Amino acid sequence: NGRIFDQATDSWQRDHASKWAAKNVKGNPRTIPNTGLNQSSLELYDEQYGSKAQFAVMCPYTMYWQRTIANVTDRLVNEYGTDGVYIDQIAAAGPRPCFDPAHNHSYGGGDHWVTGYRSMLDQVRSTVGNDKVVLTESNAEPFMDGVNVFLTLVGFSADFAGSSHTVPTFQAIYGGYFLAAGAEFFTTDFSPNPDVFAAKVAEQFLFGAQLGWFSLGGRNNQSPPMGIYNQLMDPNHDPEIAYLQKLSMARQRCTQWLVHGRAMPPVRLHVNQTTSRQGYSAVPGTAWLSDEERSLLVAITAVERDSLGLSLGFNMSMGAYGLRLRDAEMFELAQLGLDGSVRVLAQFKGDGVEYSGVLGARQVLLLSVSVVVP
């Protein structure tokens, strides 16, 4: 963990690590004096989680904590030979105002929290090298250049349909500059309705994230349980595993957009039946603009096991999705196969691009709109 220190460990006592922990003013007064603070007037930020261990939030501006995390990652990567390291909480938890004058930063405010973590990540990168993967929890802009992958548990924790739902804002702004991975999965995603699991992995795909982050075991005090090994191994859920494989192949096929491009406004689909469900859409769709802004991916999938053939279509204005024609250019609509094939469907001279077709249960439809010269 890159943020907290277990106060029951030998190293906490041996290193007198409390000196380098973030500290608040005792009593949390409304007015903080600019001078005169000392250790007797300060207290630790204590936190507890599922294990009930007592943790202290550390001050990332201190050289002690920066070196501690760099040394741990050095041992994991260079002694144990891992391909990367996960450092918990850096992009997940907000700053804790630190008032310890011994840390040589401004009282409480300022930029020391971010600059401290950035210095830590610089040391980590210098230690592990450029060919190792560094991950942290959640997604935060100041750390995009120091972290390879963000574990987006919070980002995928809300519903994907309904009056309040998640949209890919971060991907729309920073697409091509960061990688997302992971969501929380529970045993209740499989029973009574396995389409909930399918909807979750479908949204990961459509949001450009690496699929999965499945807990095979876990704490026995988690409710609902997150250990889904039995569900993943159950032959009754082979259709879910097959759908996961199909989405993984589709993501690999579409890295040009989902990894290097950026998310665009949602596709307004016309479907022949109601597809709104509690917490998810049965036929979600997305659009991604390529990094050179000369092609658009439209990805649509049907997440339900037993859905009948869905007649669907759209009429999209390409100008609203970042594509514009120059003299003598046209838009070309093509279907992308998971095997790498490309089948041209139509060409359009104007701004509008239309499509209509049928989508079967758990199918993934990949369409590209490219600017071409006929």
Side-chain angles (χ1 to χ4, degrees), residues 152-273:
T152 47
L153 304 185
V154 174
F156 283 104
S157 62
D159 289 344
F160 297 103
S163 59
S164 177
H165 61 274
T166 301
V167 295
T169 304
F170 207 84
Q171 293 87 333
I173 299 172
Y174 299 113
Y177 293 92
F178 85 106
L179 292 174
E184 289 184 326
F185 292 85
F186 305 94
T187 56
T188 50
D189 295 336
F190 293 85
S191 178
N193 181 11
D195 292 331
V196 174
F197 172 83
K200 280 190 174 183
V201 291
E203 291 294 345
Q204 283 187 297
F205 162 70
L206 295 172
F207 279 39
Q210 182 67 39
L211 308 183
W213 201 75
F214 305 133
S215 297
L216 303 183
R219 307 196 315 263
N220 57 12
N221 61 346
Q222 172 72 44
S223 181
M226 295 180 67
I228 59 174
Y229 174 83
N230 291 333
Q231 286 75 16
L232 294 173
M233 295 296 105
D234 188 341
N236 290 323
H237 294 303
D238 284 352
E240 282 64 59
I241 300 302
Y243 186 51
L244 175 63
Q245 292 172 328
K246 186 179 296 184
L247 290 172
S248 182
M249 294 172 62
R251 186 178 188 276
Q252 186 175 18
R253 180 71 173 86
C254 299
T255 55
Q256 168 183 350
W257 298 276
L258 298 177
V259 174
H260 301 290
R262 57 189 173 93
M264 300 302 287
V267 180
R268 294 185 178 274
L269 295 175
H270 305 288
V271 186
N272 67 341
Q273 58 181 273

Side-chain angles (χ1 to χ4, degrees), residues 51-114:
S51 67
K52 303 306 180 183
Q54 186 86 342
F55 296 97
V57 177
M58 302 302 290
C59 179
Y61 197 79
T62 63
M63 288 298 297
Y64 168 81
W65 190 238
Q66 294 173 17
R67 289 171 180 161
T68 296
I69 299 303
N71 290 340
V72 171
T73 57
D74 180 23
R75 186 177 182 191
L76 288 171
V77 170
N78 297 316
E79 182 176 338
Y80 291 95
T82 65
D83 292 324
V85 61
Y86 172 72
I87 307 175
D88 205 14
Q89 291 196 344
I90 288 179
R96 291 287 197 173
C98 181
F99 296 91
D100 193 329
H103 295 177
N104 296 318
H105 56 62
S106 58
Y107 279 175
D111 65 352
H112 65 271
W113 201 265
V114 168

